[in-house]
Amino acid sequence: MELFSDITFFWLIIFFIAGFSAGYIDSIAGGGGMIQVPILLLSGISPVNVLASNKIASLFGVLMATIKYALSKKISWRVVKIAIIPCLIASYIGSSLVMFLSDEVIKWLILIAILVAMIFLFKKSKKIVEVKTELNNKKIVLATAPIGFYDGLLGPGTGTYMMISMKKFLHLDYLISTASTKPLNFATNLGSAIAFIFAGKVLWGVAIVLGVANVAGSYVGSHFAIKGGEEFIKKVLIFVLIFMLFANIIKIILS
């Protein structure tokens, strides 16, 4: 097929494995892009095409995770309904600002964001509260909109940071936090995906392979998250943060 004419069979297999792994990790703890993007860059694809194709694939993966969590009734739709518009606006502002930052500044900001996330992860949480009675709209916006801004500004690990923020500031358990990030992640990704499509930057052969793999990985990952509960999610989350930390340190050293 012409769609896959520029992709060797070897890279098709590698892309599928990377996409499945990214979808699996992303559906549980976020951070799937930290697996997918480096593999795409390693194949020799230009950075802008990598970002575009990755965004399309991630969109499908997040959609599958959203459906899976919604069917299991694990999503706090009250949080999503209040947070979705502020997150979209914040993401747009972040994307507008990032054009004025150097690559060096962006690298260090990502590293700092990972370290802050790890501090919050290991800090003792308050007792989990009932969403309907304890949360107010302002608290929900303050816990989510800054992460939407980060998604537009930097991007990597957005789902991870959103989940930790919901856990620490809204006092939701890890499973509800994980589930509730998915529709918000889908919304913030959608605008970016549309922009890439209209700019003609998407490599559709790559995006389709990654997208199918992402959907499969997200389905399996969300199943295990629902089954394993809070302890399983926290273990995966710790792994993701440590992986992101070392990956970014190596990137800074090699650059």
Side-chain angles (χ1 to χ4, degrees):
M1 292 176 62
E2 185 179 345
L3 200 61
F4 304 99
S5 60
D6 294 330
I7 312 171
T8 65
F9 182 73
F10 171 79
W11 281 111
L12 281 175
I13 297 299
I14 296 299
F15 289 161
F16 189 87
I17 294 171
F20 183 91
S21 302
Y24 179 88
I25 292 294
D26 209 43
S27 66
I28 300 170
M34 296 298 293
I35 297 172
Q36 208 159 252
V37 170
I39 294 295
L40 289 171
L41 289 171
L42 190 63
S43 72
I45 298 173
S46 71
V48 67
N49 293 129
V50 165
L51 293 175
S53 303
N54 173 70
K55 189 63 72 174
I56 297 297
S58 299
L59 198 62
F60 284 107
V62 171
L63 178 60
M64 169 52 72
T66 300
I67 293 170
K68 183 79 172 170
Y69 284 121
L71 291 175
S72 300
K73 302 185 188 312
K74 301 300 181 184
I75 296 175
S76 172
W77 289 110
R78 177 170 181 253
V79 170
V80 172
K81 180 178 68 174
I82 294 167
I84 193 164
I85 298 301
C87 281
L88 280 169
I89 295 171
S91 179
Y92 174 81
I93 294 171
S95 295
S96 301
L97 178 61
V98 75
M99 293 182 287
F100 298 99
L101 301 179
S102 68
D103 290 345
E104 192 67 24
V105 170
I106 291 172
K107 288 176 187 176
W108 282 103
L109 285 176
I110 292 174
L111 183 60
I112 291 169
I114 295 168
L115 292 171
V116 170
M118 293 183 79
I119 291 170
F120 278 115
L121 175 64
F122 291 108
K123 185 179 178 183
K124 188 175 179 181
S125 302
K126 293 181 180 179
K127 185 178 178 181
I128 295 170
V129 298
E130 173 59 43
V131 175
K132 292 181 181 178
T133 58
E134 297 291 334
L135 291 183
N136 57 61
N137 294 2
K138 183 179 178 181
K139 186 182 288 187
I140 292 172
V141 172
L142 289 175
T144 56
I147 313 299
F149 174 79
Y150 171 84
D151 194 18
L153 183 70
L154 301 172
T158 295
T160 306
Y161 302 141
M162 184 77 78
M163 189 231 295
I164 292 173
S165 182
M166 286 186 181
K167 167 70 176 175
K168 296 301 175 181
F169 300 115
L170 303 185
H171 313 308
L172 306 177
D173 67 41
Y174 277 116
L175 182 54
I176 300 299
S177 298
T178 297
S180 302
T181 64
K182 302 312 168 191
L184 294 177
N185 230 178
F186 179 82
T188 55
N189 282 344
L190 184 59
S192 180
I194 291 172
F196 281 129
I197 290 170
F198 279 109
K201 301 299 183 183
V202 179
L203 300 179
W204 286 104
V206 175
I208 289 171
V209 173
L210 288 172
V212 170
N214 258 241
V215 168
S218 291
Y219 181 87
V220 174
S222 53
H223 171 78
F224 277 104
I226 293 166
K227 185 178 179 181
E230 180 153 336
E231 283 305 310
F232 173 73
I233 293 172
K234 188 170 183 179
K235 288 176 183 176
V236 177
L237 182 58
I238 292 170
F239 166 79
V240 169
L241 284 172
I242 292 173
F243 175 81
M244 288 169 63
L245 178 63
F246 281 102
N248 278 278
I249 290 174
I250 292 170
K251 188 189 298 182
I252 289 173
I253 292 172
L254 294 177
S255 61

